[in-house]
Amino acid sequence: MSINFAFLLGTAVSIANEKTTEQIDATIKIYQESCSVCHGDDGKGAVWGQQSLSTPPRDFTTDVARQELDRERMIASVTYGRPGTPMPGFGSQLNATQVAAIVDYVRARFMAPHVSGHAPLPQSHSAVTPGTEHRPDEYHAQSFPNDLQGKFENGRSIYFTNCIECHGGLGDGDGPRAYFIFPKPRNFLDSATRQIMNRPRLFAGVRDGVVGKEMPAWRFVLSDQEIADVAEFVYQEFIRTTKDE
Ligand code: HEC
Ligand code: HEC
């Protein structure tokens, strides 16, 4: 008798995905109930707070916020608050997992490079070489194998479930597990990476993994359609430098 491991694994992954969709919904609910009153639905800071609070709430969508707020600092601020400012600590209401989830949510939703059409996050370790911000035309768009169409929203959910812990909410390769991994997960914002990562390359990288590095081969757990979905998400969210490709 042979056991179909791919099938078992596939079932486990779809259960995990459902659970995570619930977790994402729960995190969105926390943001709406506890954060948006001050930080606003768009993460720019509620208008009333700009006028009435002694220190205005952070605008998460600015380049300054992206540079100053690393994940660890945000976790500390949400847990303990910011003394001397109206930013309350949530450590008594939210457990560590919930705090990490809300921080990853804020980073992915408001601080990711393409939110509100900002320029890509400038990063010291991935400085964009002048003149290389835009990849050659042949790398723009390009399709997935077998005419697969990647579904962005489903890709986002797969990314949150399977990729964020290594590649991070901003796609900068700075997820919570990255600290323990050598070589580091790929930083999708890096200008050299942006030049080589088109849809076919992303699809192949995700499907087959990277031999000798801790990038798993996802073909054992995700279907070709799911691989196209998550590759589409990575492409649109992190890789491409303009909105119209
Ligand atoms: C009563 C209003 C208020 C609420 C509610 C609130 N914040 Fe804030 N938040 C602020 C203000 C004001 C600042 C700016 C503090 C500063 O500049 O040091 C801030 C700053 C922050 C920062 C950046 C802190 C840093 O290290 O500079 C993060 C991250 C943050 N808030 C996340 C959240 C999250 C997540 C929630 C919900 C769980 C939340 N906030 C709820 C008012 C609020
Ligand atoms: C256990 C950590 C880990 C997880 C989980 C992970 N990655 Fe990676 N990823 C890596 C590492 C390490 C590399 C190799 C970096 C390099 O080659 O420079 C990498 C490389 C990549 C590459 C580049 C491949 C290439 O062609 O060079 C892509 C694309 C990628 N990951 C996408 C994903 C996606 C999408 C997911 C979720 C489905 C994911 N990764 C999950 C660690 C991880």
Side-chain angles (χ1 to χ4, degrees):
M1 192 189 90
S2 76
I3 299 172
N4 187 338
F5 282 106
F7 172 77
L8 287 178
L9 219 47
T11 310
V13 165
S14 47
I15 292 168
N17 277 341
E18 274 163 35
K19 192 162 159 252
T20 300
T21 309
E22 272 169 35
Q23 280 165 355
I24 293 173
D25 288 347
T27 305
I28 293 172
K29 199 156 166 266
I30 293 175
Y31 187 85
Q32 283 163 352
E33 287 173 357
S34 309
C35 318
S36 77
V37 59
C38 291
H39 289 283
D41 287 335
D42 57 4
K44 295 183 180 202
V47 175
W48 73 268
Q50 324 261 5
Q51 288 148 6
S52 324
L53 290 174
S54 54
T55 313
R58 268 282 182 181
D59 179 345
F60 295 124
T61 66
T62 63
D63 290 340
V64 174
R66 286 179 190 132
Q67 279 158 39
E68 286 181 4
L69 300 182
D70 60 40
R71 188 173 186 271
E72 265 172 69
R73 167 170 165 171
M74 291 172 73
I75 286 176
S77 298
V78 175
T79 308
Y80 304 112
R82 296 276 290 167
T85 82
M87 171 66 195
F90 290 88
S92 56
Q93 297 159 51
L94 304 175
N95 64 33
T97 311
Q98 288 170 315
V99 169
I102 193 82
V103 164
D104 284 336
Y105 173 73
V106 167
R107 289 173 69 81
R109 175 154 170 212
F110 305 122
M111 295 165 73
H114 295 290
V115 174
S116 41
H118 274 264
L121 175 69
Q123 295 217 326
S124 53
H125 58 284
S126 66
V128 177
T129 318
T132 62
E133 299 91 334
H134 296 287
R135 287 155 297 117
D137 276 349
E138 65 265 29
Y139 284 112
H140 286 201
Q142 284 205 34
S143 47
F144 295 119
N146 305 325
D147 292 331
L148 284 169
Q149 299 292 320
K151 294 193 291 283
F152 180 86
E153 284 304 326
N154 193 42
R156 182 203 298 276
S157 148
I158 294 170
Y159 187 86
F160 264 90
T161 320
N162 298 298
C163 322
I164 201 168
E165 58 180 306
C166 288
H167 290 280
L170 292 180
D172 58 1
D174 194 21
R177 264 178 83 179
Y179 184 76
F180 305 100
I181 292 176
F182 300 94
K184 294 287 170 214
R186 180 72 78 163
N187 174 0
F188 298 127
L189 310 182
D190 186 89
S191 67
T193 293
R194 282 184 158 153
Q195 282 174 46
I196 56 172
M197 289 291 159
N198 54 9
R199 288 189 177 98
R201 168 81 190 248
L202 284 165
F203 185 91
V206 176
R207 184 188 55 202
D208 300 328
V210 181
V211 177
K213 300 185 182 160
E214 284 194 53
M215 171 63 187
W218 291 95
R219 66 176 181 276
F220 298 114
V221 282
L222 300 175
S223 68
D224 279 1
Q225 179 63 57
E226 288 170 321
I227 291 170
D229 295 349
V230 74
E232 182 66 21
F233 172 77
V234 169
Y235 182 74
Q236 285 194 33
E237 193 75 4
F238 307 126
I239 298 287
R240 72 178 179 178
T241 49
T242 57
K243 277 203 163 285
D244 50 19
E245 289 160 30

